[in-house]
Amino acid sequence: MKNSFCRSPVLSVIATAILLLYANPAFAGVIKIGLMAPITGAFASEGQDMQKIVALMVEEINKAGGINGDSIELLVEDDGSTPRSAATAASRLVSKGVPAVIGTYGSAVTEASQDIYDEAGAVQIATGSTAIRLTAKGLKRFFRTCPRDDEQGRVAVTTLSKLEFKHVAILHDNSAYAKGLAEEAKKLIEEGKSASIVFYDALQPGELDYSAILTKIKGVKPDAIFFTGYYPEAGLLLRQMATMKWSVPMLGGDATNNYDLVKIAGQAAAKGYRFISPPMPTDIDSPAAKAFLAAYRAKYNSLPSSIWSVIAGDAFTVLVSAIKAKGTNPSAIAEYMHQGMPAVDGLTGKISFDDKGDRKGDLYRLYEINGKGEFILQKN
Amino acid sequence: MNLARYARYRYFPLCLGGVFFAIMASIPWLLNEAGAPGSGIAQLDMLNKIGIYALLALSLNIILGQTGLFHMGHTAFFAVGAYATAILNTMYQWPVFSTLPVAGLLAALFALLVAVPIIRLRGDYLLVVTIGIVEIVRICLTNNIFGITGGANGIFGIARPVIFGLAFSSPRQQYYLIWGFTGITVILFYLLEHSRFGRALNYIKQDELAAAGCGINVARYKLAAFCLGAFWAGMAGTLYAANIRSIEPTSFNFFESVIIFAIVILGGAGSITGVILGAFLLIGLQDVFRDFSSARMLIFGAAMIAMMVFRPQGLLPARRRHYGARRYLGKFPCAVRRQCGAAYNPYAEDEGDCV
Amino acid sequence: MEEFLQQLTNGLAVGGIYALLALGYTMVYGILRLINFAHGDLFTLGAYLGFTLLASLGLSGLASGLLAAGVLILLSMGLVAVAGFLLERVAYRPLRKSDRLSAVVSAMGASIFFQNALMLVYGAKSQVYPDGILPEASLILLGTEVPLTRFLMFAASLALMCLLYWFVNRTRVGAAIRAVAIDQDAARLMGIDVNRIISLVFLIGPALGGAAGVMIGLYYGQITHDMGFTFGLKAFIAAILGGIGNIPGAMLGGMLLGIIEALGAAYISIAWKDAIAFCVLILILIFRPTGLLGERVADKV
């Protein structure tokens, strides 16, 4: 009997039934805020850091009495760093009735969730999706606290010409973000004729050995390398350049703003590396940023390692101030955020939005790594 | 209750299929009645995803389960279909539904092109070549081949499918579309399995040399199986593109192929019921384990091992075909004993087939 | 020409790692006809174990950096071998008599399991080996400058491969391994304990993978929980390229793949480099369906 039970599909049917009836009961008297972040997958380290920061901020607010007396419940869903999981994560958050969602990191991943939130009438604040097209669709409840690719491209090209590099090698990693930035920079350089592009190609992230690529770039003798990819590869490139005993200035995009870069490259090799990025909380002279850093250090005994998780914290700050003013009606929140909201003191500076939902103001600064592996903000 | 006994009954598959699709058809209504949050869109979304994987796995089943070709590159055909729909829809404004047969045909054509030179490879060598094809397709898509795939960004803004003025936009409508298509697929594939063509494929899987000896053109049948599977995967690509509305190359990586492959083997190679159950388990479990947060894939991996160890032949393996041989009992005793024999195992003895 | 030689050494260095990993695939395949998809993750496990050992035992404090590296590699090899042994017991042994593809799926499950276990234990962020264990000198070979560490890495993988080749071809146990690979039943009749031999193979293959993992950590510094996927896939392809089941084939395939990649990146395109490698693989298999050194065996009737 036992045997036939095991062999029959009964077990599987039960499993399926559990799977289908799976639903969370609703809680009353709390404000639900969704966080959709890459907890697993390629960008897991970013997503887990985002979760840490937003959870910490929720805890602080609840300790201080919540928003207008209501406490906040944070619902976290994993987008798995892929569009497909993001669609699922979004439907799950929507079905739990969240008025507003923070997230997510990758642009293509955000894109797969945009319609779902829009159709459900929820506010979405993206935190790392810099692709221009996301805010060009005219969605009324879509915002982002991160800047756009074109702004970064512009700042990068200005920086390159200010530093008077004449022969530039552009290297990206074929991810949507890095390629977008590389193409933007290439276009601007070619239009402005400020420099000549002597090399333009992509490396394959996740491979550890880039010496073949570096040997090839060395052959074209550039004045500088502009690398638009992420910090692990930037760290490895710097390290392997040092091993090759070849030194050429390297400039990176904001995805290299991560202290692990210095760990990977080693302090000696990382010295002199420049990157452009939104300002870090340590360089913002505001009480909010200082209090946040102190709380973060007290809880996790480290500094946030990436700028994108800090920008997720910014999204949360904005939401809190909007909910405080307008309650939990998504349309009211969105309208308030578009106009009427006074600039909010965030962890990366003042935050306000234009009518497309993009963050106002120039955010990018130039950083340089010093001999001790510290990121030093450069005065312009 | 001994299901295995009922399973011998001739109309069992028909009844099982009928009951299953009746339940599936009533699920949106049930979810609504049960008061699932947001009329159950999270559950429907998950079922939509399961449906698309079930379609992919059913199409792979023709190649892997019925013909016995070790094919781990099914995502390549899926990608061709999805990109065909996306490109035709966004660049040439074709309605999504009219791209369905084109996506299928393009995928089949692509399968034909790549399969002709490799069809004679055996076992694991075929496996690795098909893995190579997935990776090549992904790299081509990422590098914006012919300037039409949108590179790493992929293609976005794909329209919703519309038939006779009826738009399939909400998860619920998508659900009926996807599972309706799956239902038709199941019926067609069931008929195929029991056709002369299906029997020939099965013969090739059991014993290629004997099949050739019986006058079956092995290479041609294998190619046909490849193209048919690819055709269906291409159409699944259309449904996927219309469902998710923005596609990009990382959705079509090798890992997806692995998952589809695992669905077929874990559900029971060659068995339509098993493959659908496999899709429910492998895709559904990933979502059910979501509450374990970052540990969900760990548990998923362990579950994969456990399911294989406890059901090595798959959850619902293909049953041996019965041709009413019982009527001849006593006349051809050896034949009857063979067909009633213990669980058969097509791969157990073929250690030499790829060396 | 100098650039060509430089690229050749780049390719050989990566190829050495591929070859070392490919040996693990090939040995397991030779004996069980099983593609051990978890092999790449055992390699990652080795890298992480090396990292932990280095941090906890303070091996970097040893007088000579090279000695520390050697001890580290041996210790990690031992630990990864145990993991490989357990993997075979839990995930593969129960499936030995069943469908070969079942074991493949089980191996995929194991791969997902290991990768995520490492992520849970060490976090999703990459970990970084401490600096300055290996000397920073460099050698002049054929007129090009090669970092000493790179040369040592290559030499160490070559030494391990030769050791393995000697072990399999010149010792009694090696003969038993070959016997089991040819015919398990006959080997059993000759008094060979087949289970023990299979366990042994699952100790040796993963140990080589673990060694490769530590070498990667020492040389490149950075290790991530998902690096086994990329390296595993490449090494598997190298094994097929050389003719799977064949030990010199795995070495040849690994080196060849490394060189194809480096030269493809240098003279064609970096972005298309992997596609080039796969195309070469497919072409080779079309013209030599059993890989470069694979033996042709008549179809079983």
Side-chain angles (χ1 to χ4, degrees), chain A residues 202 207 209 212 232 236 263, chain C residues 7 150 220 222 234 270 273:
Chain A
E207 270 173 8
D209 197 304
L236 287 168
K263 274 210 267 172
Chain C
Q7 293 291 17
R150 185 153 238 190
Y220 296 106
Q222 181 205 29
K234 293 277 176 65
I270 302 170
K273 145 179 101 84

